[in-house]
Amino acid sequence: MAADTDALQKRFDQLIDADDRIEPRDWMPDEYRKTLVRQIAQHAHSEVIGMQPEGNWLTRAPSLRRKAILTAKVQDEAGHGLYLYGAAETLGTPREELLDRLHNGRQKYSSIFNYPTLTWADMGAIGWLVDGAAIMNQVPLCRCSYGPYARAMVRICKEESFHQRQGFQIMLTLANGTPGQQAMAQDALDRWWWPSIMMFGPPDSESVHGDQNTRWGIKRFGNDELRQKFIDATVPQADLLGLTIPDPDLRLDEETGNYLHGPIDWGHFWDVVKGNGPCNRERLGTRVDAHEGGTWVRQAATAYAEKQAKRATEAAA
Ligand code: 3HC
């Protein structure tokens, strides 16, 4: 038995070393499966909870066109959640179980979705910064060693790219608008900047899963490296908008070409992750209510599917 496991482990290691894909039917170490379920579920939950801050503005979008775009974006996020729950299910954990873990607070979702959306400019800042950070983090996941997750990420990243552009376009419109609109854009940047750069997770020195998951080809870059790439890409965009990044210590390091940033308030980050952010209770409460309110829809869909399956079996007999 132990010899069998050794051979399976060896085969798994070979696939990982060759930068090949692990597929659902392949043998994998329990810890690899566990960390994938954790990360993919957390990602799926983030997509689903992430619909709330923007959903808040669907009825107040400033034009029909903006409303249609925002509706499409929010629907995309629901779709991302579905692909990701599907990917997690290939690892043997049913979606109901994952949702239970979210609703009971046993699984996390991204810290970024625990902040309020106070003005229309927040729709711009979320698309530009939050989806921008998501793309930076998620493009490397298209090369993740676990096949179903990697394939789900390809489509997700294409859609996130559209989301980022629509957000930047909102910011550009406001930045070229009246002084009041410009101030609104600056205020949104002021509130979303630090939470956005916290999205990448704790510094590498405090990352629990980082090293192992990089060895397994799940992560391709550390949290700090991705954060730096995001800052380097975003500072020139803020300049173009004529907006100021709310970090008095931000400066270009001529030698490396990187923007050096000021201290990040990790105490605040962990507080939000632990459930004490401005909107944690509201977000989870809304999610649980939506799930409970949708019970009859799931029951009706299941009853219909069972009836169809029974009819198909009878027809085939
Ligand atoms: N919010 C909440 N928890 C976070 C976090 C964040 N921004 N960053 C890290 N954490 C948690 C980790 O989950 C881990 O806790 P756990 O052991 O209970 O799961 C702990 O902090 C330590 O962090 P690590 O660095 O060890 O964790 P990871 O190696 O998993 O790295 C990550 C964290 C970079 C977020 C990684 O999990 C990842 O790349 N996940 C996939 C992408 C994802 O989930 N994105 C959500 C963003 S929002 C989104 O995609 C929606 C889009 O529409 C904008």
Side-chain angles (χ1 to χ4, degrees):
M1 187 65 188
D4 280 357
T5 311
D6 285 351
L8 291 166
Q9 176 76 53
K10 199 168 160 203
R11 173 78 190 126
F12 173 84
D13 292 341
Q14 279 168 348
L15 287 171
I16 295 287
D17 291 345
D19 213 2
D20 237 325
R21 290 272 158 86
I22 308 295
E23 295 297 337
R25 290 201 179 91
D26 291 336
W27 181 90
M28 59 188 86
D30 287 345
E31 284 305 309
Y32 177 82
R33 187 184 299 276
K34 207 169 130 196
T35 200
L36 273 170
V37 170
R38 177 193 63 83
Q39 176 168 326
I40 302 172
Q42 181 175 316
H43 193 165
H45 301 328
S46 304
E47 301 282 356
V48 169
I49 296 264
M51 290 192 287
Q52 292 183 38
E54 287 169 304
N56 181 33
W57 278 87
L58 285 176
T59 53
R60 291 176 287 162
S63 69
L64 185 59
R65 184 171 153 268
R66 291 291 188 197
K67 188 185 178 101
I69 295 170
L70 191 62
T71 306
K73 178 184 190 292
V74 172
Q75 283 175 340
D76 285 350
E77 308 298 2
H80 298 174
L82 293 183
Y83 313 151
L84 290 165
Y85 285 126
E89 283 190 309
T90 65
L91 290 156
T93 314
R95 193 188 311 176
E96 294 73 35
E97 164 72 23
L98 299 174
L99 287 171
D100 265 359
R101 291 186 200 172
L102 168 67
H103 298 160
N104 298 334
R106 283 184 293 137
Q107 270 179 348
K108 298 186 169 80
Y109 59 88
S110 180
S111 50
I112 193 71
F113 299 117
N114 292 305
Y115 296 88
T117 41
L118 304 180
T119 71
W120 172 252
D122 289 17
M123 299 304 98
I126 290 181
W128 173 38
L129 300 174
V130 176
D131 289 86
I135 294 169
M136 196 58 85
N137 172 257
Q138 293 171 17
V139 166
L141 293 174
C142 299
R143 293 189 290 119
C144 165
S145 58
Y146 186 59
Y149 189 27
R151 289 189 285 276
M153 289 318 301
V154 173
R155 180 154 173 193
I156 291 177
C157 285
K158 285 187 182 156
E159 292 177 353
E160 298 293 12
S161 165
F162 151 72
H163 298 170
Q164 195 270 350
R165 284 174 207 193
Q166 69 86 37
F168 187 78
Q169 216 264 333
I170 292 175
M171 293 304 271
L172 193 61
T173 306
L174 294 173
N176 287 322
T178 63
Q181 288 171 322
Q182 288 164 0
M184 196 161 78
Q186 181 63 55
D187 169 63
L189 171 58
D190 290 347
R191 285 181 290 107
W192 289 93
W193 174 253
W194 291 103
S196 297
I197 66 172
M198 288 174 187
M199 270 176 79
F200 294 91
D204 293 344
S205 55
E206 289 173 32
S207 171
V208 182
H209 309 285
D211 287 347
Q212 179 60 66
N213 286 2
T214 304
R215 275 198 293 280
W216 274 331
I218 296 172
K219 279 170 105 157
R220 297 284 168 170
F221 300 99
N223 300 353
D224 289 327
E225 192 174 354
L226 289 171
R227 186 173 7 257
Q228 187 64 56
K229 278 173 187 267
F230 172 73
I231 294 172
D232 292 342
T234 310
V235 173
Q237 294 169 2
D239 286 346
L240 192 88
L241 292 170
L243 299 176
T244 307
I245 304 257
D247 178 355
D249 297 324
L250 191 74
R251 66 182 170 84
L252 182 66
D253 179 346
E254 301 282 355
E255 261 178 44
T256 60
N258 293 139
Y259 283 92
L260 303 177
H261 59 81
I264 299 176
D265 184 353
W266 291 114
H268 168 77
F269 168 77
W270 289 117
D271 222 25
V272 176
V273 171
K274 285 180 191 145
N276 302 317
C279 300
N280 294 58
R281 281 173 198 80
E282 182 187 330
R283 298 287 184 246
L284 205 53
T286 303
R287 171 90 269 282
V288 171
D289 285 352
H291 188 72
E292 287 172 359
T295 304
W296 69 270
V297 179
R298 288 190 299 280
Q299 284 171 345
T302 307
Y304 180 73
E306 281 170 0
K307 203 167 174 184
Q308 292 294 92
K310 197 171 161 216
R311 274 202 195 131
T313 316
E314 283 164 5

